[in-house]
């Protein structure tokens, strides 16, 4: 604001007083309060945004984990279905394996049959064995092994004289079959039917 009442000053000169200057400028304290309010509002919005971001990231991670778990379960279920289907297929072939085994067990009779016919049957048997091998199917013929109730079915026992033959498999009545899996695990398709030795105590 200007003051023209002082006669000592030229008419064109204007005096600016500090009193009038203070009246026209915003008070510093009021500005600081406004700035603090604005900064607090920004900080609150930033905290809200960070909280929402964390929540969205957690939701995304949970969704990803659920997806990966669901995919893993689906793959495991498909693997089990494939294994069950293979076992059913092999179970249907096992009677053929038994028939070949019976037909070829007597070497003397087998060697006397017509050579061309015999070679044809041996070729079919070889194809059957290739199918079993492709599915990692192994025949169990555990003569001399320790009896294992998980792999063998004891149909009878015979007395033995020595301790080393006690609970050992003396003969196999019916061949068993297992499916080899990864590592050392196996799936029993059919246990071997066996006769075990049993030493009688005197």
């Amino acid at each position: 604001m200007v003051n023209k009442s002082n006669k000592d000053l030229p008419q064109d000169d204007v005096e600016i007083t500090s009193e009038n200057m203070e009246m026209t400028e915003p008070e510093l304290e009021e500005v600081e309060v406004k700035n603090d309010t604005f900064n607090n509002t920004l900080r609150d919005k930033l905290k809200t945004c960070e909280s929402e971001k964390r929540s969205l990231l957690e939701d995304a991670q949970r969704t990803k984990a659920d997806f990966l778990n669901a995919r893993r379960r689906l793959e495991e279920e498909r693997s089990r279905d494939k294994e069950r289907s293979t076992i059913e297929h092999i179970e249907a072939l096992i009677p053929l394996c038994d028939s070949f085994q019976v037909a070829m067990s007597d070497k003397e009779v087998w060697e006397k049959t017509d050579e061309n016919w015999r070679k044809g049957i041996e070729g079919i048997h070889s194809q059957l064995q290739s199918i079993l091998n492709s599915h990692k199917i192994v025949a169990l013929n555990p003569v001399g092994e320790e009896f294992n109730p998980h792999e063998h079915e004891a149909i009878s026992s015979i007395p033995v004289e020595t301790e080393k033959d006690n609970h050992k498999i003396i003969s196999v009545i019916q061949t068993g079959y297992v499916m080899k899996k990864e590592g050392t695990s196996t799936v029993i398709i059919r246990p071997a039917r066996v006769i075990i030795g049993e030493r009688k105590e005197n």
Side-chain angles (χ1 to χ4, degrees):
M1 186 175 262
V2 297
N3 185 357
K4 294 184 179 180
S5 60
N6 193 334
K7 293 180 180 180
D8 294 335
L9 294 172
Q11 191 171 358
D12 293 334
D13 291 338
V14 178
E15 181 184 4
I16 300 175
T17 64
S18 61
E19 179 184 349
N20 294 332
M21 192 175 178
E22 289 177 2
M23 294 295 294
T24 59
E25 292 182 357
E27 293 185 5
L28 182 59
E29 189 175 319
E30 184 181 345
V31 172
E32 289 178 350
V33 169
K34 286 182 180 179
N35 285 340
D36 287 345
T37 303
F38 179 73
N39 289 338
N40 288 337
T41 302
L42 284 179
R43 275 193 291 269
D44 290 342
K45 287 183 178 180
L46 181 60
K47 287 180 180 178
T48 301
C49 289
E50 288 177 345
S51 177
E52 290 176 353
K53 178 184 175 183
R54 279 194 300 271
S55 179
L56 289 172
L57 284 174
E58 289 171 0
D59 289 344
Q61 288 172 347
R62 277 194 295 270
T63 301
K64 182 179 179 181
D66 290 342
F67 170 75
L68 292 175
N69 288 335
R71 187 171 69 177
R72 179 180 52 79
R73 286 193 296 269
L74 181 61
E75 289 172 353
E76 289 175 352
E77 186 61 31
R78 284 177 179 169
S79 178
R80 285 193 293 269
D81 289 343
K82 183 179 179 182
E83 184 178 288
R84 280 192 293 267
S85 177
T86 299
I87 289 173
E88 289 174 2
H89 179 63
I90 297 303
E91 285 174 339
L93 293 177
I94 284 178
L96 287 176
C97 298
D98 293 338
S99 297
F100 276 109
Q101 189 173 9
V102 170
M104 300 167 71
S105 60
D106 191 330
K107 296 293 183 183
E108 185 177 345
V109 173
W110 183 251
E111 293 295 330
K112 288 180 180 179
T113 59
D114 180 74
E115 185 178 355
N116 291 330
W117 183 86
R118 190 176 69 244
K119 286 183 177 178
I121 296 299
E122 288 173 347
I124 297 171
H125 180 253
S126 178
Q127 290 177 340
L128 178 59
Q129 291 302 312
S130 295
I131 293 172
L132 297 180
N133 292 337
S134 68
H135 293 291
K136 298 180 181 178
I137 306 300
V138 178
L140 295 178
N141 189 9
V143 173
E145 295 181 10
E146 189 80 21
F147 174 72
N148 181 352
H150 299 293
E151 295 184 355
H152 314 136
E153 179 186 347
I155 59 173
S156 67
S157 63
I158 59 174
V160 292
E161 297 296 328
T162 61
E163 184 62 33
K164 71 179 182 66
D165 291 329
N166 193 32
H167 297 297
K168 294 287 179 66
I169 295 171
I170 304 303
S171 63
V172 176
I173 304 302
Q174 188 179 59
T175 303
Y177 291 90
V178 298
M179 177 188 288
K180 296 285 185 180
K181 297 179 71 175
E182 292 181 8
T184 58
S185 62
T186 58
V187 176
I188 304 297
I189 296 177
R190 186 179 77 180
R193 303 185 73 192
V194 300
I195 295 174
I196 61 173
E198 187 176 354
R199 184 166 184 254
K200 301 293 184 182
E201 296 293 336
N202 294 332

